[in-house]
Amino acid sequence: MRFHRLIVANLLNRPLRTALTTLGVAIAVCAVVALVGVSGGFERSLRDAYESRGIDLLLFQKGQLQHISSALPEGLRDRVAALPGVAACEPMLIDVLALDASQLFGVQAQGWRPESFFMQQLELTAGRLPSGPGARQIVLGAELARGIGKGPGDTVELIEGEPFEVCGVYESANVFENGWIVLPIAALQELMLREGDVTGFAVIGQSHDRAALAELAGQIEGVDPRIKAAIARDFAENASELKIAGTLAWMTSSIAVVVGALAVLNTMLMSVFERTGELAVLRALGWRRGRVVALVLGEALAITLLGAVLGNLLGLGVVWLLSLTESGGRVVSGEVSPLVLVQGALVAVILGLLGGLYPAWRAACLEPTDGLRHD
C-alpha cells in the first residue's frame, strides 16, 4: 500500500473521531477568517473612502488616539489652503450617533460644507443635496436608508428632540460610506455643541508624489503645533481604532486556535496509543523513526488541511451573512481578502504541526518489544 493511501486508510478507520477533529480545526480557521477578514475589510473601506475622492493628506489634532476625538479650529482652513502645493483643503466634522428610534448604534455622521467636493461627489439615487450651510437636512447612505426605512421627505431624530429632514439618499461603491449620515457641517456643529470646531481637514495636493506629499505634510504641521498631517493611505493603515480591532480579532481567534490544537493533539495521541502494536510491527519490519514520524504528522496535517478548506468556506459564509444583517451591512462588505484565506490555511498547518509533533515523537520512540507488551 502506498504511503498516502495508508494515511487515508488510518483516518477512515476512525471516521467519527476524524470528523469531529476536522470540525474543531474548521471552527478555529473560521474564527480567523471571519474576525480578521472583517477587521481587514474595515481598513480597506476606510482607505478607499478617502482615496476614491482623491484625498492626499488628512489633518487631525496631534496626540489624539481616536480621530473622532480630534478638535481643531475651523479657521485653520484658510491658512492651510494658502500654502503652496495645496490644491484644496476641506474641513470635516465626524461624530458617532445612536438612532434610538431604529435601535441602531455607532452610526457615523459626517459634517461637510455643502459646496465642498465631498458633498458634490455624492451619487444621489433619490432626492437632492442639503439646501444651505445651516439647513437641518441630511443625506443618507443607501444601506442605512434601507436599514431604518427612511427616504426623501421623512424625518429622523439624530438626537432625541432634534429632528432632521431626509432630503436625499446616495449610493457608494464603498460599503463603509453607505452607512453614513451626511449633513451640512454648520448644522452638525450646532447639534453637537461644537461651533467653530472641526474634527480635521482633507487636503488635495497639487502633486500626488509621495515625497512631495511628505514635504507638504511637514509644511502644514508648521502652520499650527496642534496639527498632525498624515498621508491618507498611511492613516487608514495606522488608525488606532483599526489596530485595536485587528488585535482583538487575533486575540479572540487565538482561543479557538488553542482549542483546535488540543483537539488534534488528543486525537493523534489516542491514535498512537490504540495502534501501539501496529506501529511496533512497522518498526520491526524496518521502518525508520523518520518514516513513523512522517506517518503520524501526515495524518495530523491531512485532518487540518480538510479543516482549512471547511473553515475557509464557513468563514466566507459568516462574513457574507453578516453583510446581510441590518447592522453588519453598514460596515461589512461581505468580501474577504485572499491573504486572509491564506492565513487561515497557515493556521491549519500550524495546528497540524503543534497537535501532531508530540504524538509523532511518541510513535517514533516505540520499539518492537512495545507491541508485545501492549498486546
Side-chain angles (χ1 to χ4, degrees):
M1 180 179 290
R2 292 187 178 182
F3 192 71
H4 70 276
R5 290 184 180 178
L6 182 60
I7 291 174
V8 173
N10 288 332
L11 294 178
L12 293 180
N13 283 339
R14 299 164 182 83
L16 181 59
R17 184 188 301 168
T18 300
L20 291 177
T21 308
T22 301
L23 182 59
V25 173
I27 291 174
V29 174
C30 174
V32 172
V33 171
L35 294 174
V36 178
V38 169
S39 174
F42 290 160
E43 180 184 318
R44 290 193 304 275
S45 294
L46 181 61
R47 181 179 65 243
D48 294 344
Y50 292 120
E51 290 187 344
S52 63
R53 289 183 166 78
I55 296 171
D56 294 310
L57 298 173
L58 292 166
L59 317 182
F60 292 103
Q61 183 183 2
K62 187 177 295 183
Q64 288 294 334
L65 182 62
Q66 295 183 313
H67 71 277
I68 62 172
S69 302
S70 169
L72 292 171
E74 188 175 1
L76 287 175
R77 173 183 175 272
D78 294 336
R79 295 171 61 188
V80 172
L83 290 175
V86 175
C89 178
E90 282 296 337
M92 54 187 178
L93 180 60
I94 305 171
D95 218 314
V96 177
L97 305 173
L99 303 182
D100 294 335
S102 303
Q103 296 297 304
L104 285 181
F105 303 94
V107 179
Q108 194 168 117
Q110 294 269 346
W112 304 334
R113 297 192 312 154
E115 67 272 23
S116 71
F117 60 81
F118 277 131
M119 196 76 79
Q120 299 304 319
Q121 288 176 349
L122 290 179
E123 296 184 8
L124 295 177
T125 58
R128 55 180 175 77
L129 295 175
S131 57
R136 293 176 68 86
Q137 297 172 332
I138 59 175
V139 184
L140 300 177
E143 194 63 42
L144 179 60
R146 283 191 290 269
I148 64 176
K150 300 290 185 179
D154 294 327
T155 300
V156 175
E157 287 192 357
L158 300 188
I159 295 178
E160 187 176 358
E162 297 288 349
F164 279 71
E165 177 196 353
V166 179
C167 64
V169 175
Y170 69 90
E171 181 87 47
S172 172
N174 188 305
V175 66
F176 200 55
E177 293 184 0
N178 278 331
W180 286 353
I181 295 173
V182 177
L183 67 162
I185 190 170
L188 186 57
Q189 287 171 329
E190 179 185 357
L191 179 70
M192 307 308 296
L193 304 178
R194 296 185 61 176
E195 287 87 349
D197 282 348
V198 297
T199 304
F201 300 88
V203 173
I204 296 178
Q206 293 177 354
S207 171
H208 306 298
D209 178 72
R210 189 175 182 87
L213 291 176
E215 182 180 349
L216 180 58
Q219 295 178 15
I220 292 173
E221 290 180 351
V223 170
D224 192 291
R226 293 169 291 183
I227 296 178
K228 172 63 178 177
I231 296 175
R233 172 176 287 272
D234 295 345
F235 169 78
E237 293 174 351
N238 298 305
S240 60
E241 298 95 330
L242 298 181
K243 283 186 173 293
I244 292 171
T247 301
L248 289 176
W250 275 110
M251 288 177 62
T252 305
S253 301
S254 65
I255 299 173
V257 170
V258 170
V259 173
L262 291 175
V264 175
L265 175 62
N266 178 69
T267 294
M268 299 316 300
L269 276 175
M270 288 294 295
S271 177
V272 169
F273 176 76
E274 292 173 354
R275 293 156 55 201
T276 297
E278 173 193 330
L279 294 170
V281 169
L282 291 175
R283 291 282 288 126
L285 292 175
W287 275 42
R288 295 183 178 181
R289 296 183 189 276
R291 190 167 177 81
V292 174
V293 168
L295 176 65
V296 177
L297 279 182
E299 293 174 15
L301 288 174
I303 289 174
T304 53
L305 289 176
L306 285 173
V309 174
L310 180 58
N312 276 334
L313 293 175
L314 287 174
L316 290 171
V318 168
V319 174
W320 177 71
L321 288 175
L322 282 175
S323 70
L324 299 180
T325 64
E326 185 174 304
S327 298
R330 294 185 291 116
V331 291
V332 179
S333 65
E335 300 176 356
V336 176
S337 167
L339 178 61
V340 175
L341 299 180
V342 173
Q343 290 174 334
L346 287 176
V347 165
V349 172
I350 292 171
L351 288 179
L353 293 175
L354 291 178
L357 276 174
Y358 177 67
W361 175 78
R362 284 286 302 271
C365 290
L366 290 173
E367 298 294 343
T369 54
D370 294 330
L372 297 175
R373 285 200 300 269
H374 183 76
D375 292 337

